[in-house]
Amino acid sequence: MYYASQKAFPEGFLWGASTSAYQAEGAWDQDGKSPSIIDMYEHPKQYADFKSASDHYHRYKEDIRLFAEMGLKAYRFSVAWTRILPDGTGRVNQAGIRHYHDVIQECRKYGIEPIVTMYHFDLPYCLEEKGGWGSRETVEAFVEYARVLFTNYGGEVTYWLTINEQNTMILHPGAIGLPKDGKIPSKKELYQQNHHLMLAQARAMKLCHELCPEGRIGPALNLTAMYPETCRPEDSIAAHNWEVIRCWNFADVPVFGWYHPLAWRYLQDRELAPEIKEGDKECLAGARPDFMAMNYYSTATIAASRGDASDVSARAGDQQIMLGEEGVYRAAENPYVAKTKYGWVIDPSGFRYTLRKVYERYHLPILITENGIGAPDRLENGQVHDNYRIDFIRQHLSAMRLAITDGVEVIGYCPWAALDVVSTHQGYQKRYGFLYVDRDEFDLKEMRRIKKDSYFWYQKVIADNGASL
Ligand code: BG6
């Protein structure tokens, strides 16, 4: 749709950027932190592990000062549960409490709004050993952890994100990492874990509303619209199947209090439906998120299932992510979109389309908590010329502005990432940050922070509230 004039980005728009604890902090065993599942997962030998990462744990003051100089109005980071409760429950580690208190205060010093993710893939390993998300005990542990966070930081934090990309954890468990024995749980087990995550999330949301009257809390899912490969009706049905199973089934539960009807039928029919105990339905109902946080990278294009094993294939450039399911959908190519070096589809219009769908479905303000392009950035004569990142973000911001003009309520944009962090699969070969972190896969060097071209560009965008895009 064309408009005579476009809406401006709202006043007080949260121009931000994101990181997560295990990818940025390092200091994996310091100041009382216990190992998380990420620390214990088997890691590809050719890439950096998460032990030192970008040393944000020690350098957060310098980093936040640089974020402030870039003009950031918000900084989205995650708290490592293993720093707060090293045993998963019980004993509170005061060094961990102090650390995030200091990070929050440092943000506030520069007028940066802290946006806190409570859980970004890094379950305490001691809880994993007791059954992890397959156990209801972990729900209790998460609620205890949530209480510690809200009690300690409730007065200083307004924006809370419960769980990062629950849908990625459940649908593509190999993408995050593999347990030591290399076994991925069965689908049945994963959907039971999913149910427990949903219960944990619902209870955390309710607790947040009880303990933090000023707090606003929402889930952070990876959401993406699907296109049918052709106008063949069966392709549209398949695209809808996967859009529901991948996205709406995860977002409906926190907002509407129950699973999407189509997804629930799919789960029942395949005997994947989780065990529901007395009180679960009441627990899920009434969680009432205040906003929907959304990570957006790309769209997918979908064709009807052929009904055989040829439906399943690895996502282009990423052997860890298998797409397609017999009798449900098959991944197809889209000739109208570009791709990153790593095979991820680049689709700014798809961003507008996804935003419309999310808003139409949930009528909640939307906070973008990830969006960005991974690339093998090069440091040349002390500079990083990442024009591809500028292009990517400019196009996505323009599409987002069109979505705002369409009537979608977007309250902030926090691209991935504030600074270079360890990529889940490609270490430091694949970088996303506005700040270059000068280290290699194994040579930590001095980890100097260097402003990329995109840093200066984003600084200007923020300074005029996106008017010059
Ligand atoms: C998101 C995750 O799915 O994608 C981040 O929330 C992750 O933790 C990001 O880093 C980019 O993925 P990757 O594999 O390129 O690091």
Side-chain angles (χ1 to χ4, degrees), residues 229-355:
E229 184 187 32
T230 70
C231 51
R232 194 160 68 110
E234 290 76 9
D235 286 347
S236 287
I237 295 282
H240 185 241
N241 287 344
W242 182 227
E243 196 174 275
V244 165
I245 292 170
R246 187 192 180 283
C247 300
W248 313 138
N249 192 37
F250 290 88
D252 278 16
V253 181
V255 184
F256 303 136
W258 192 243
Y259 295 89
H260 188 288
L262 172 65
W264 188 249
R265 276 299 305 131
Y266 157 89
L267 294 175
Q268 282 183 322
D269 181 71
R270 284 156 175 79
E271 299 188 352
L272 299 173
E275 181 197 27
I276 308 293
K277 289 203 171 165
E278 207 188 316
D280 284 2
K281 284 200 168 174
E282 294 68 25
C283 172
L284 293 179
R288 312 216 190 292
D290 301 291
F291 59 88
M292 186 61 84
M294 160 178 158
N295 297 353
Y296 172 86
Y297 288 90
S298 27
T299 46
T301 300
I302 302 300
S305 150
R306 291 194 188 103
D308 57 31
S310 71
D311 284 337
V312 182
S313 58
R315 185 174 72 177
D318 199 343
Q319 297 303 314
Q320 277 89 356
I321 298 210
M322 300 306 288
L323 293 172
E325 186 176 340
E326 248 179 84
V328 182
Y329 79 102
R330 176 164 55 88
E333 284 298 318
N334 185 341
Y336 302 103
V337 295
K339 282 187 178 169
T340 71
K341 279 210 164 96
Y342 300 92
W344 293 28
V345 161
I346 302 176
D347 185 6
S349 295
F351 187 29
R352 178 184 185 187
Y353 186 41
T354 307
L355 281 164

Side-chain angles (χ1 to χ4, degrees), residues 30-43:
Q30 286 180 26
D31 295 343
K33 179 185 174 298
S34 69
S36 74
I37 50 173
I38 298 282
D39 297 317
M40 301 305 279
Y41 276 173
E42 298 222 292
H43 200 74

Side-chain angles (χ1 to χ4, degrees), residues 23 120-121 164-165 295 297 344 370 416 423-424 430 432:
Q23 290 171 284
H120 196 121
F121 303 156
N164 181 68
E165 294 200 1
N295 297 353
Y297 288 90
W344 293 28
E370 285 183 37
W416 189 262
S423 140
T424 326
K430 187 191 199 185
Y432 285 87

Side-chain angles (χ1 to χ4, degrees), residues 5 14 23 33 36 126 128 147 171 207 271 279 298 330 335 339-340 361 378 390 392 396 408 421 457 459 464 467:
S5 67
L14 295 169
Q23 290 171 284
K33 179 185 174 298
S36 74
C126 51
E128 177 72 11
R147 185 180 290 279
L171 298 170
L207 198 59
E271 299 188 352
S298 27
R330 176 164 55 88
K339 282 187 178 169
T340 71
R361 217 176 150 74
R378 293 277 159 262
I390 294 174
F392 182 98
H396 282 77
V408 177
V421 299
W457 174 81
Q459 189 176 47
D464 68 6

